[in-house]
Amino acid sequence: MSSENIKKGNPLATEKVGRLIARFGIPAVISMLVSSLYNIVDQIFIGQGVGMLGNAATNIAFPISIICTATALMLGIGSASNYNLESGAGNHEQASSIAATGLSMLLIGGTLIAVVTLLFLNPLLHLFGVTDQILPYAQQYTGICAFGTPFLVLSIGGNHLIRADRSPTFSMVCTVTGAVINTILDPLFIFGFHWGIQGAAAATVIGQIVSGMIVIYYFLKKQKMGITRSMLLPKGKYLASIASLGVASCINQIAMAIVQIAMNNTLRKYGAQSIYGSEIPLACVGVISKVNMIFMAFCIGISQGCQPIWGFNYGAKNYSRVRETYRKAIVLSIVIGTVAGLCFQLFPRSIVSIFGSGSEEYFLFAERYFRIFMLMTFTNSVQPISSGFFTSIGKAKLGILTSLTRQILFLLPLILIFPTIFGIDGVMYAGPIADSAALVVTVILAWGQIKDMKMKSCMSS
C-alpha cells in the first residue's frame, strides 16, 4: 500500500473489510431494492387495477428499461471504477476529470434513448413481442415512461459516482426518495384519478425526475471529488477508459434485453400452441422477472458496494484486502440466494397472487416456471459479484466474458432450441441448465485471478 494512502488514513485502505462491506454494501443494496420498486410497485398496482394485460404490457416494455440501465451502468460503473483505481494510485486530478466526463455522458445517453423510443415506439414494441391485445397498454405505458429516461439514466449512473465519492448514504437517499414518491403516486393516479396504466407510468416518471435532480444537487453542492465546470465537457481519451471498465456491466444488461426479447417472442409463439395461450406466459414471466429483481438487487448491491473497496485496494496493490472482500461478498450473496431459492420453490402461488388475480392456468404456469426455471437461484449471485470484481480491478475482458456466459452463451441458444423439442416447457428447462454452466465458467475465471493476486502478494513481500 502506498505511504500516501496510509498517511491519509483512507478507510478503504485501513478499515476492517467486513465493516466496509456493510458500510458501502447496505446502502447499495437498499438503493437497488428501492430502484426495483419502480417496476415492482407498478406491477402490483397495475395487476390490481388494470389486470393481466397490464402486467403483460410492462413485460413488453421491460427491454427499454434494461437498455437504460445498461447505458447507466456502462457510464456510471466505468467512470466510478476508473475514479477509484486512479485515486488509489494517487492520480487525483485525472480521477476527477474521468468522473466528470462520465457524469456528462449520462445526461447525453439518457436523452438519446428517450428520443429513439418516442420516434420508433410501435416498431420497438412489435420487436419486443407485443400482441394485439397488449399493444394499447404497452403504447401508453412505454410512451409516457420515455420522458423519464434521461433522469433514470442519470440517477442510476450518478449513484455509482456518489458511492465512489464515499457518500453511500446520500446515494441511498437519492434512490429511496424517488421510489417513495412513485409508491405514493401509483395508487393515487391509478385508483384515485382512474388513469389506469397511464397513471402508473406518470408516477414512475415523476419519481425518476426527483431522483435525477437530487443527483444534480449532489454534484453542485456536496461532492468531494473536486469536479469543476471545465471538466464537464466530455473528453474522448477518458471515454475510452470509461467504456473499457463499464462495458462488462453494459453487455450484461444488453444480454438481458436480448434474452428478454427472444423470451417474449418464444412465449408468444409456443404459448399460442399450448393450453395457456400467449398472454398468460407473457404476463407470468413479466411478474416473475420483477420478483427475481428483488433477489438480484441484493447481489448487485453487494457487488456495487464492494467495487470501491476492490478498485482502491487493487490500485494500491493491497491484494489481500481485495481477496478477502471477494470471498466475503460471495459467501454473503450465496446465503441470500439460498433463502430466495427456497421461497421460490415453496411459495410460488402466494408470491404471484400479490400481483393480481388470474385463471387457474395462469397460476399453474407461474408455479411451474418458478420451480423449474428458477431452480438454481442459489448460485445466481456468483456471476454478478464476479463480474463487478473483474471490472473493479481493471480486468475488463474477464468482466465481459462473465457477463456473456449465462445470458448469451447458454440461455439464449437454449430458449430458442428447447421449445422446438419440449414446447413451452423448454423455456423453463433452459434456466437451470444455463445457470449451472455459467457457474462453472465463472468459478474458473475467478479462481485464476485469486491465484494471480496471491502470487503478486508473495513477490512484493
Side-chain angles (χ1 to χ4, degrees), residues 255-278:
M256 287 175 59
I258 292 171
V259 169
Q260 185 74 39
I261 294 167
M263 178 82 80
N264 287 347
N265 283 282
T266 300
L267 292 171
R268 179 177 63 178
K269 177 181 178 179
Y270 291 96
Q273 301 172 13
S274 71
I275 63 171
Y276 306 110
S278 296

Side-chain angles (χ1 to χ4, degrees), residues 101-235:
T101 289
L103 192 62
S104 299
M105 289 305 301
L106 286 168
L107 275 171
I108 295 171
T111 302
L112 287 174
I113 294 172
V115 171
V116 171
T117 301
L118 290 170
L119 288 177
F120 303 101
L121 180 59
N122 282 347
L124 286 171
L125 294 177
H126 282 94
L127 175 65
F128 298 161
V130 74
T131 68
D132 290 340
Q133 291 186 61
I134 300 169
L135 181 60
Y137 298 94
Q139 288 172 326
Q140 294 169 17
Y141 185 79
T142 311
I144 294 172
C145 283
F147 290 97
T149 294
F151 299 95
L152 173 63
V153 173
L154 177 63
S155 62
I156 294 174
N159 279 319
H160 286 280
L161 286 166
I162 293 172
R163 278 192 293 274
D165 201 29
R166 304 195 305 278
S167 299
T169 302
F170 193 98
S171 172
M172 177 187 69
V173 169
C174 168
T175 306
V176 168
T177 303
V180 168
I181 290 172
N182 178 43
T183 304
I184 293 170
L185 293 180
D186 254 329
L188 176 63
F189 289 174
I190 294 173
F191 302 109
F193 295 170
H194 305 289
W195 289 353
I197 200 166
Q198 296 178 66
T204 297
V205 169
I206 293 171
Q208 290 167 349
I209 290 173
V210 171
S211 290
M213 295 304 296
I214 294 174
V215 170
I216 292 172
Y217 168 77
Y218 178 86
F219 285 100
L220 287 175
K221 301 292 185 180
K222 298 286 187 181
Q223 52 106 357
K224 302 182 285 289
M225 287 179 167
I227 294 175
T228 62
R229 290 186 179 181
S230 62
M231 293 178 179
L232 290 172
L233 183 66
K235 297 177 177 62

Side-chain angles (χ1 to χ4, degrees), residues 66 80 117 142 154 172 179 199 214-215 227 230 256 269 274 321 324 354 357 371 379 398 406 415 424 431 445-446:
I66 296 174
T117 301
T142 311
L154 177 63
M172 177 187 69
I214 294 174
V215 170
I227 294 175
S230 62
M256 287 175 59
K269 177 181 178 179
S274 71
R321 286 176 67 82
E324 182 183 357
I354 298 172
S357 60
R371 288 178 171 147
T379 69
L398 291 180
R406 180 185 185 272
I415 63 174
I424 198 165
L445 295 176

Side-chain angles (χ1 to χ4, degrees), residues 248-299:
S249 299
C250 175
I251 287 176
N252 186 46
Q253 293 292 319
I254 294 297
M256 287 175 59
I258 292 171
V259 169
Q260 185 74 39
I261 294 167
M263 178 82 80
N264 287 347
N265 283 282
T266 300
L267 292 171
R268 179 177 63 178
K269 177 181 178 179
Y270 291 96
Q273 301 172 13
S274 71
I275 63 171
Y276 306 110
S278 296
E279 282 73 28
I280 284 176
L282 284 168
C284 286
V285 172
V287 167
I288 293 168
S289 66
K290 303 301 189 302
V291 173
N292 191 50
M293 286 173 62
I294 298 175
F295 160 61
M296 293 306 296
F298 282 96
C299 302

Side-chain angles (χ1 to χ4, degrees), residues 281-335:
L282 284 168
C284 286
V285 172
V287 167
I288 293 168
S289 66
K290 303 301 189 302
V291 173
N292 191 50
M293 286 173 62
I294 298 175
F295 160 61
M296 293 306 296
F298 282 96
C299 302
I300 296 172
I302 292 169
S303 177
Q304 291 177 356
C306 289
Q307 282 172 5
I309 311 171
W310 287 325
F312 188 91
N313 285 285
Y314 195 86
K317 300 182 180 180
N318 193 355
Y319 302 119
S320 62
R321 286 176 67 82
V322 179
R323 297 198 309 271
E324 182 183 357
T325 304
Y326 178 75
R327 183 177 67 253
K328 290 184 175 180
I330 287 290
V331 171
L332 178 60
S333 62
I334 288 177
V335 170

